Amino acid sequence: MVKAATIATEEVDKMLVILVLCTSFLSILYLTAPSIRKFFAGGVCTTNVRIPGKVVVITGANTGIGKETARELARRGARVYIACRDVLKGESAASEIRADTKNSQVLVRKLDLSDTKSIRAFAEGFLAEEKKLHILINNAGVMMCPFSKTTDGFETHLGVNHLGHFLLTYLLLERLKESAPARVVNLSSVAHLGGKIRFHDLHGEKRYCSGFAYCHSKLANVLFTRELARRLQGTGVTAYVVHPGVVMSEIVRHSFLLCLLWRLFSPFFKSTRQGAQTSLYCALEEGLEPLSGKYFSDCKRTWVSPRARDKKTAERLWNVSCELLGIQWE
Ligand SMILES: *[C@@H]1O[C@H](CO)[C@@H](O)[C@H](O)[C@H]1NC(C)=O
Ligand SMILES: *[C@@H]1O[C@H](CO)[C@@H](O)[C@H](O)[C@H]1NC(C)=O
């Protein structure tokens, strides 16, 4: 009896020790989180250029990285259009930015990238009211949604992250050219490394995995920037693709598991402000033009996967995208 009790206490002791060790480990980890975060925070956009009179469109800028990018560009004097699906949320972001930057030229327009009608309506409205467009930031994105299709029948990641922005860029391109020097900045992700363009099953009807669908769409973004940059040579419009870093943002909202992981690890991630730095760098840094078409992370040019450099795939995807959208983009 006595012996059994001793053993039990010993077990409890052991567990206690383990518990204490685990808690101290976790506390140390979390206490050092700010330094770890700083280490991963990466580059900062250091240029001081101001851009009064320049016109900027940012998709999905009602929240997250897009909102921080919009804030900084407004602070530097630009007229900023926040193009987003939820106009109410957009308005609340806009009024916050206006108050914060004392720039009244922060405007909200409705744009639903999962619906080509909405994209066309947005472009039509914009072209009617603005004679210039200097910076287009294709920022909006979805990540790891369950299988679903857009209004036009495209798989959601491909439809929103790639095809939606493809159409938008196409519709606004003349304005960009007329406003040259102008820039297009695309948000992709390091996740493109896991991507592959599955031409035989573009919409994931035969096989679907939400994580890979995200990677595929991000690879499409990189391929497109390269192809676009090539086609835009000599027009004064340049294009850049950006990996913002691992950022705490609402993009995970579609996946419960991701949300949970995100919460747990959030102290280690970049803030949205830090996440906006590379977009800002590509939008503002002077003399970046020779690097048109390149991929940037932490405000530096970065390596892309061989798949993302494949010219044939880029061209084929370009052709297929035009077909899907019913446009002719030579
Ligand atoms: C951005 O991505 C979209 C969709 O992939 C594409 O249509 C557009 O050409 C890209 N632009 C840039 C600058 O990468
Ligand atoms: C894409 O379309 C162009 C023009 O229609 C064609 O010349 C080219 O061969 C196509 N490329 C691929 C890879 O399908």
Side-chain angles (χ1 to χ4, degrees):
M1 193 58 204
V2 175
K3 203 172 175 202
T6 337
I7 290 172
T9 345
E10 261 171 26
E11 293 282 297
V12 171
D13 280 353
K14 241 188 237 163
M15 293 225 321
L16 260 177
V17 169
I18 292 176
L19 201 75
V20 168
L21 279 180
C22 284
T23 348
S24 0
F25 177 71
L26 279 181
S27 336
I28 290 174
L29 204 61
Y30 271 75
L31 281 177
T32 48
S35 339
I36 297 178
R37 186 172 181 168
K38 209 162 168 199
F39 178 75
F40 285 114
V44 177
C45 169
T46 50
T47 171
N48 292 319
V49 263
R50 293 191 47 82
I51 48 170
K54 300 280 183 196
V55 181
V56 179
V57 169
I58 310 183
T59 65
N62 55 312
T63 167
I65 301 174
K67 182 169 151 190
E68 290 314 311
T69 310
R71 191 195 307 273
E72 187 56 34
L73 294 174
R75 185 170 289 134
R76 291 168 187 249
R79 173 150 67 235
V80 178
Y81 284 84
I82 293 179
C84 61
R85 192 167 48 174
D86 189 332
V87 176
L88 277 181
K89 280 192 190 162
E91 281 300 347
S92 97
S95 57
E96 183 192 318
I97 295 174
R98 282 193 291 260
D100 191 17
T101 61
K102 310 284 177 288
N103 179 346
S104 59
Q105 310 257 336
V106 181
L107 308 152
V108 180
R109 295 293 176 268
K110 164 117 184 145
L111 169 66
D112 181 353
L113 286 159
S114 69
D115 178 359
T116 54
K117 275 208 201 71
S118 170
I119 300 169
R120 286 181 182 279
F122 167 84
E124 217 168 277
F126 178 84
L127 295 176
E129 70 180 322
E130 276 297 341
K131 291 299 152 232
K132 293 275 180 236
L133 173 58
H134 302 95
I135 302 176
L136 167 63
I137 304 189
N138 288 322
N139 164 84
V142 292
M143 184 178 183
M144 290 185 78
C145 320
F147 182 75
S148 59
K149 288 194 164 178
T150 66
T151 319
D152 304 272
F154 310 140
E155 187 278 310
T156 301
H157 294 89
L158 186 81
V160 172
N161 297 353
H162 166 59
L163 291 170
H165 283 125
F166 183 73
L167 181 61
L168 181 67
T169 309
Y170 167 78
L171 294 171
L172 299 180
L173 198 62
E174 274 315 302
R175 212 35 120 246
L176 284 160
K177 284 184 184 163
E178 289 160 15
S179 317
R183 293 185 182 187
V184 186
V185 178
N186 248 0
L187 267 73
S188 177
S189 162
V190 70
H192 82 270
L193 293 173
K196 199 173 162 186
I197 307 298
R198 300 172 63 241
F199 286 105
H200 60 286
D201 186 22
L202 269 185
H203 301 296
E205 278 149 340
K206 297 199 186 99
R207 207 175 65 208
Y208 181 78
C209 158
S210 58
F212 278 115
Y214 177 70
C215 297
H216 301 333
S217 71
K218 290 291 127 177
L219 174 62
N221 288 144
V222 181
L223 285 167
F224 259 94
T225 307
R226 300 174 64 86
E227 184 68 14
L228 183 71
R230 192 177 67 77
R231 287 169 189 244
L232 286 176
Q233 266 168 24
T235 61
V237 183
T238 50
Y240 311 88
V241 63
V242 165
H243 167 59
V246 183
V247 174
M248 185 63 207
S249 87
E250 274 180 38
I251 195 169
V252 294
R253 64 184 172 267
H254 297 288
S255 156
F256 175 75
L257 185 66
L258 264 190
C259 284
L260 205 73
L261 285 175
W262 233 250
R263 285 275 132 72
L264 205 60
F265 290 105
S266 61
F268 306 103
F269 291 167
K270 284 189 186 187
S271 65
T272 45
R273 197 177 151 65
Q274 291 164 338
Q277 295 305 309
T278 309
S279 296
L280 289 168
Y281 176 84
C282 288
L284 296 170
E285 184 71 16
E286 284 162 314
L288 207 60
E289 285 76 11
L291 295 182
S292 182
K294 300 296 184 259
Y295 176 74
F296 291 78
S297 168
D298 284 338
C299 300
K300 287 193 299 282
R301 189 181 157 189
T302 306
W303 185 83
V304 286
S305 73
R307 265 194 205 131
R309 274 179 271 144
D310 185 347
K311 276 214 187 74
K312 262 253 131 43
T313 312
E315 201 184 303
R316 187 163 165 210
L317 182 64
W318 187 282
N319 288 4
V320 172
S321 304
C322 287
E323 250 169 60
L324 285 170
L325 292 164
I327 58 178
Q328 286 203 318
W329 188 348
E330 292 310 327

